[in-house]
């Protein structure tokens, strides 16, 4: 190679099998706090609201703890926590951790189908849901559907979760709601310098997340604004995305309640040279129009000029209705062939 020149970026096609019509490249969904609020916009089963960082202090009820530490509870929790952490106030940090675990640990999905139920069912084992959230709602949704067998996506927890425990002998994680005797995972809090390297569980989760993103053919970001205290996280994700040799053919979608211009500007490094953009409504996400078939539908539309008809979810009133709706799609997957035709 001539000195001063760069090796051209390697580009590859997605792992699409034309004969079976199966795309083996994954769909990766990344969740922030806004996703859980979209899951339960009116609050959880008992009306408890899902907090985001801007209203976190009031929602979780930690105003007195913040005041005792000498800070204003009206400030953003990220800023407050960073300052308390920087001051080395370990006693206050321990109290905050206990309060956070108690509040989030009591959150419960409503009995009726939620957005998280649809999301979990919309993805296959090759796909991943990567979450920054501490709340247990995505786990509860996952557990609702695991009776269907090995048909659900991989779950990855980048900042820990109140329902995650470590099986130290097997070096695996489990759900505390299944095995309450396990060691709870650490929760990673909003400090400017997060430690992603000293905890074995966190290292493993980040390895899985970055690998998934480097292989993804479709990426959906839901309710994650990549705040200033997550600069390192965003940098790690961006490196993996840039290492993705299918990236220029892939789709990168962001769902956020902010104005689309603002959202797309904040994700401009990820969107450069790829299909994608921002929308505000989770129910208009491609997953809702082509559940369990997003990567196939997108590939056939863009690479084969053979777009698949939409097989859009109908809103189910009960979990049984939702299971009856999704079952034909799962059954078709067991044949090793996908028709590309609507099942409903």
């Amino acid at each position: 190679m001539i000195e001063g020149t760069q090796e051209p970026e390697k580009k590859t096609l997605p792992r699409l099998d034309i004969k079976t019509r199966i795309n083996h490249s994954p769909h990766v969904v990344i969740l922030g706090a806004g996703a859980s609020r979209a899951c339960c916009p009116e609050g959880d089963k008992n009306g408890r609201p899902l907090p985001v960082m801007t209203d976190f202090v009031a929602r979780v009820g930690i105003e007195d703890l913040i005041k005792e530490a000498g800070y204003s509870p009206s400030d953003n929790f990220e800023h407050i926590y960073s300052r308390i952490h920087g001051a080395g106030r370990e006693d206050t940090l321990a109290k905050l951790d206990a309060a956070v675990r108690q509040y989030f640990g009591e959150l419960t999905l409503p009995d009726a189908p939620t957005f998280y139920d649809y999301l979990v069912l919309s993805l296959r084992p090759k796909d991943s849901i990567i979450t920054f959230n501490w709340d247990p709602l995505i786990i509860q949704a996952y557990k609702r559907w695991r009776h269907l067998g090995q048909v659900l996506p991989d779950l990855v927890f980048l900042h820990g979760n109140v329902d995650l425990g470590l099986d130290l002998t097997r070096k695996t994680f489990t759900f505390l709601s299944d095995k309450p005797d396990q060691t709870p995972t650490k929760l990673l809090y909003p400090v400017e310098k997060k430690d992603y390297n000293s905890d074995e569980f966190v290292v493993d989760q980040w390895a899985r997340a970055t690998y998934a993103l480097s292989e993804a053919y479709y990426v959906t970001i839901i309710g994650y604004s990549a705040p200033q205290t997550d600069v390192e996280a965003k940098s790690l994700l961006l490196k993996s995305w840039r290492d993705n040799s299918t990236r220029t053919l892939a789709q990168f979608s962001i769902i956020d309640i902010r104005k689309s211009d603002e959202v797309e500007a904040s994700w401009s490094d990820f969107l450069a040279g790829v299909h994608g953009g921002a929308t505000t409504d989770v129910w208009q996400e491609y997953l809702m129009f082509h559940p369990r078939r997003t990567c196939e539908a997108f590939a056939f539309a863009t690479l084969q000029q053979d777009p698949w008809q939409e097989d859009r979810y109908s809103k189910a009133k009960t979990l049984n209705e939702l299971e009856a709706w999704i079952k034909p799609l799962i059954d078709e997957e067991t044949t090793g062939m996908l028709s590309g035709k609507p099942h409903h």
Side-chain angles (χ1 to χ4, degrees):
M1 186 167 63
I2 300 173
E3 186 176 355
T5 65
Q6 288 187 329
E7 186 177 343
E9 183 179 354
K10 182 182 178 183
K11 297 180 181 181
T12 58
L13 292 169
R15 301 195 299 275
L16 177 65
D17 187 324
I18 300 298
K19 291 182 179 179
T20 63
R21 300 168 74 85
I22 295 174
N23 191 344
H24 298 278
S25 293
H27 189 149
V28 173
V29 178
I30 299 177
L31 305 179
S36 287
R37 180 165 285 187
C39 172
C40 297
E42 306 300 324
D44 78 340
K45 180 178 181 178
N46 301 307
R48 294 167 68 89
L50 273 295
V52 294
M53 285 301 160
T54 53
D55 61 14
F56 190 92
V57 174
R59 297 287 194 191
V60 180
I62 51 176
E63 297 99 325
D64 290 343
L65 277 176
I66 300 300
K67 288 178 183 177
E68 288 174 11
Y71 298 95
S72 170
S74 62
D75 203 352
N76 184 297
F77 181 67
E78 290 173 319
H79 302 149
I80 296 170
Y81 192 94
S82 287
R83 292 199 292 270
I84 295 174
H85 182 270
R89 299 285 299 275
E90 296 297 330
D91 57 335
T92 302
L93 296 179
K95 291 178 182 178
L96 287 173
D97 183 72
V100 166
R101 288 182 183 275
Q102 179 177 349
Y103 186 88
F104 282 94
E106 293 173 355
L107 292 172
T108 307
L109 276 181
D111 293 331
T114 67
F115 172 68
Y116 275 175
D117 291 292
Y118 286 88
L119 176 61
V120 166
L121 290 175
S122 295
L123 300 166
R124 310 207 302 265
K126 68 182 178 66
D127 306 317
S128 297
I129 296 176
I130 299 170
T131 179
F132 284 92
N133 297 337
W134 300 323
D135 70 72
L137 299 186
I138 194 64
I139 293 176
Q140 292 173 13
Y142 182 92
K143 289 174 64 174
R144 276 180 172 178
W145 302 106
R146 60 184 177 183
H147 67 275
L148 296 175
Q150 301 297 315
V151 300
L152 304 181
D154 189 30
L155 298 183
V156 182
F157 302 89
L158 297 184
H159 284 174
N161 190 281
V162 297
D163 194 25
L164 281 186
L166 294 176
D167 185 331
L168 299 178
T169 56
R170 298 183 181 180
K171 293 190 175 181
T172 59
F173 74 81
T174 187
F175 303 141
L176 289 174
S177 49
D178 287 338
K179 296 183 177 180
D181 59 331
Q182 301 300 313
T183 303
T185 58
K186 293 180 181 178
L187 302 181
L188 292 191
Y189 285 90
V191 296
E192 291 185 5
K193 286 288 185 181
K194 290 189 178 70
D195 186 356
Y196 290 131
N197 299 308
S198 64
D199 185 273
E200 188 176 352
F201 171 77
V202 174
V203 170
D204 171 72
Q205 296 297 288
W206 272 97
R208 288 165 60 185
T210 52
Y211 176 76
L213 200 55
S214 71
E215 295 288 314
Y217 181 57
Y218 206 114
V219 177
T220 305
I221 311 288
I222 306 177
Y224 176 61
S225 61
Q228 189 62 34
T229 51
D230 274 358
V231 168
E232 185 179 358
K234 194 172 181 180
S235 177
L236 289 169
L237 295 175
L238 179 59
K239 181 182 183 304
S240 300
W241 182 233
R242 286 177 171 168
D243 287 342
N244 186 324
S245 59
T246 314
R247 176 169 49 91
T248 56
L249 300 173
Q251 174 77 9
F252 194 96
S253 298
I254 311 116
I255 303 173
D256 197 299
I257 61 172
R258 296 176 295 163
K259 292 181 179 179
S260 59
D261 290 349
E262 178 186 347
V263 174
E264 289 171 9
S266 69
W267 289 97
S268 58
D269 289 343
F270 289 79
L271 289 168
V274 305
H275 303 277
T279 58
T280 59
D281 186 356
V282 293
W283 297 104
Q284 295 302 312
E285 159 59 18
Y286 204 60
L287 283 159
M288 300 298 113
F289 294 86
H290 296 283
R292 305 186 70 82
R293 305 288 187 269
T294 47
C295 291
E296 287 82 13
F298 185 68
F300 272 90
T302 58
L303 300 179
Q304 300 297 314
Q305 287 72 55
D306 181 18
W308 288 12
Q309 284 184 262
E310 292 178 359
D311 196 9
R312 187 174 185 176
Y313 273 121
S314 59
K315 285 291 186 73
K317 294 181 180 179
T318 67
L319 298 179
N320 286 340
E321 283 182 22
L322 182 54
E323 181 169 343
W325 193 96
I326 203 71
K327 198 66 168 59
L329 294 169
I330 295 174
D331 290 343
E332 183 187 54
E333 291 157 22
T334 65
T335 69
M337 298 279 292
L338 301 182
S339 67
K341 298 177 180 178
H343 287 71
H344 306 89

